[in-house]
Amino acid sequence: MKARTTFACSGCGAEYTKWYGRCQRCGAYATIEESSSAAASAGLRSTRTTRAPARPARRVHEIEADSRQERTSTGLRELDRVLGGGLVPGQVVLLAGEPGAGKSTLLLTAADAVASATGRPVLYVSGEESVQQLAARAHRIEATSEHLLLADSNELGEALGHLEAVEGDPALFIVDSVQAIASAEVDGRAGGVAQVMEVASTITRLAKSRNLPVFLVGQVTKESTLAGPRALEHIADTTLSLEGEKQTPLRLLRTIKNRFGPADEVACFEQTDGGIVEVPDPSSLFRSLRAAPVPGTCLSVTVEGRRPMIAEMQALVSPSTTPNPRRGVSGLDTSRVSMLIAITERLGGVRLGDKDVFAATVGGMRSSDPATDLAVCLAIASAAHELVLPLDVAAIGEVSLSGDIRRVGMMAQRLAEAGRLGYRRVLVPAGTASTLGPTPAGVELMEVAAIQDALRRLEGLQPAARVAQPTTMSQEPDRLTSIDPVEA
């Protein structure tokens, strides 16, 4: 009987009756290869042969769980936090990020700190840069520990040879990047599916057998997703993503997967001329420090991972000179801001149909947290009426299409962060106080049920005078008026 020819994806295992250039399940390119169903059936039958296991199965109550794992600090508190407290022996960490995000700089800084703290050798092998380039960066960021070793190699055997040649017990092994290293025992180009899986699997087995923490740097695609097969993330114990705009120095390190700690932590760093430095209080980066309030601004508290951070929502509303008014957004979701503009106009009574509306965040922050909806609406209304909100007022809440203000998660942490930074009056969804428990000291909750209630509640919060506007000799500033709905 003639064996039926089939095609299978080497990345996810999906089977097809004919060849495709791209796997329809995982989306990877050039991973579908020809296979024989007869050979597959023979292989399946051969796996049915049993043998005695080296370690028999044990009852769960007989196994002592190791809940207090010894961890090695990376020397960076923010990096330790996303890892769950430091590096676990044998842990494989996959760090991904766009080119220029600061992956190599971050790992060189951590490698120098680990080498200096432990007094043990740390090996950094690069497949993308020469030793001279690595040394130039290391001297620039003052990563000059005598126990830090640098090497360059594109071949897996040579890279492991560098590790074997290290005298003493190494504290950390860094490979930059896993897509740039190739194995001579596997066919295919460096960065291909087979090569990436072989390199990652070999290094992972080595890390587990020697209890050696390992950092693997991963490249990303143009869609900002990790390059290579999805199985690469399954091999690693921890997957981190370093994000940031090239125009701003802020870098956010997110935990995507973590077997030894929380999988939703976020750390903040700042890229400087002297290297990458920690930002223990990122709220200071995302708000404008001013002595007097200005129209079109409202503070909110967003949550990145499990970290609450103050975020300033800004809006600018000006008369339009075109039949189709412009809508500009920066740092926020464009579709959501368009929805909030429509809600503010239709349900809040703020006329915006003949005006250009621009909304943005401060400090290059990108936020998709629905808890900032109320602050965006209030900023738009404030800009439209040229009114200001007091400096000690913040707004937290999701706005629905019906205009209702809905509750959001982690409200206790959000209010604690607002109180820590001096915001004493916070607009929150109705019913928050009954479910929150003790309110943070010095924070007054102002519950609102709908967007109309929020605008009406602000009537008693206006400061004594309007912010000064440019005037002529014959003009005087108008008296302050409260935010009143505009009649249709």
Side-chain angles (χ1 to χ4, degrees), residues 110 127 159 273 399-400 416 455 468:
D273 294 337
V399 180
S400 65
L455 297 179

Side-chain angles (χ1 to χ4, degrees), residues 76-135:
L76 299 173
R77 294 180 60 185
E78 291 292 293
L79 181 55
D80 287 344
R81 204 161 67 85
V82 298
L83 291 174
L87 290 167
V88 175
Q91 181 178 7
V92 178
V93 182
L94 179 63
L95 175 61
E98 295 184 354
K103 303 183 297 296
S104 301
T105 303
L106 176 63
L107 292 183
L108 265 179
T109 304
D112 177 72
V114 172
S116 301
T118 62
R120 295 160 55 191
V122 173
L123 178 61
Y124 190 116
V125 177
S126 175
E128 301 178 350
E129 296 179 287
S130 65
V131 171
Q132 289 75 19
Q133 291 175 312
L134 283 175

Side-chain angles (χ1 to χ4, degrees), residues 24-110:
Q24 300 179 10
R25 177 185 294 179
C26 64
Y29 288 92
T31 59
I32 298 180
E33 301 174 351
E34 182 178 350
S35 63
S36 173
S37 59
S41 300
L44 179 62
R45 290 193 297 269
S46 65
T47 59
R48 296 174 183 172
T49 304
T50 62
R51 62 184 179 89
R55 292 178 295 178
R58 300 166 59 188
R59 290 181 172 87
V60 64
H61 67 271
E62 298 176 351
I63 304 174
E64 182 180 356
D66 185 11
S67 59
R68 296 179 297 176
Q69 296 170 320
E70 180 184 357
R71 294 179 181 266
T72 301
S73 174
T74 62
L76 299 173
R77 294 180 60 185
E78 291 292 293
L79 181 55
D80 287 344
R81 204 161 67 85
V82 298
L83 291 174
L87 290 167
V88 175
Q91 181 178 7
V92 178
V93 182
L94 179 63
L95 175 61
E98 295 184 354
K103 303 183 297 296
S104 301
T105 303
L106 176 63
L107 292 183
L108 265 179
T109 304

Side-chain angles (χ1 to χ4, degrees), residues 303-322:
V303 172
E304 293 289 342
R306 295 196 302 175
R307 165 173 284 188
M309 294 184 292
I310 285 290
E312 180 176 322
M313 303 294 119
Q314 294 189 343
L316 176 64
V317 177
S318 62
S320 178
T321 59
T322 62

Side-chain angles (χ1 to χ4, degrees), residues 62 97 102 113 116 122 130 138 143-144 174 208 249 257 277 291 301-303 305 308 333 357 423 427-428 476:
E62 298 176 351
S116 301
V122 173
S130 65
T144 56
I174 301 174
K208 303 301 181 182
K257 169 193 173 183
V277 297
V301 183
T302 183
V303 172
D333 183 70
V357 181
Y423 297 97
L427 278 77
V428 296
E476 296 182 356

Side-chain angles (χ1 to χ4, degrees), residues 377-398:
C377 292
L378 295 181
I380 294 173
S382 170
H385 291 280
E386 296 186 1
L387 300 176
V388 294
L389 304 179
L391 293 177
D392 64 342
V393 172
I396 304 172
E398 178 184 359

Side-chain angles (χ1 to χ4, degrees), residues 302 304 311 313 331-333 361 365-370 372:
T302 183
E304 293 289 342
M313 303 294 119
L332 298 167
D333 183 70
T361 57
M365 184 185 203
R366 301 192 64 85
S367 175
S368 58
D369 190 352
T372 62

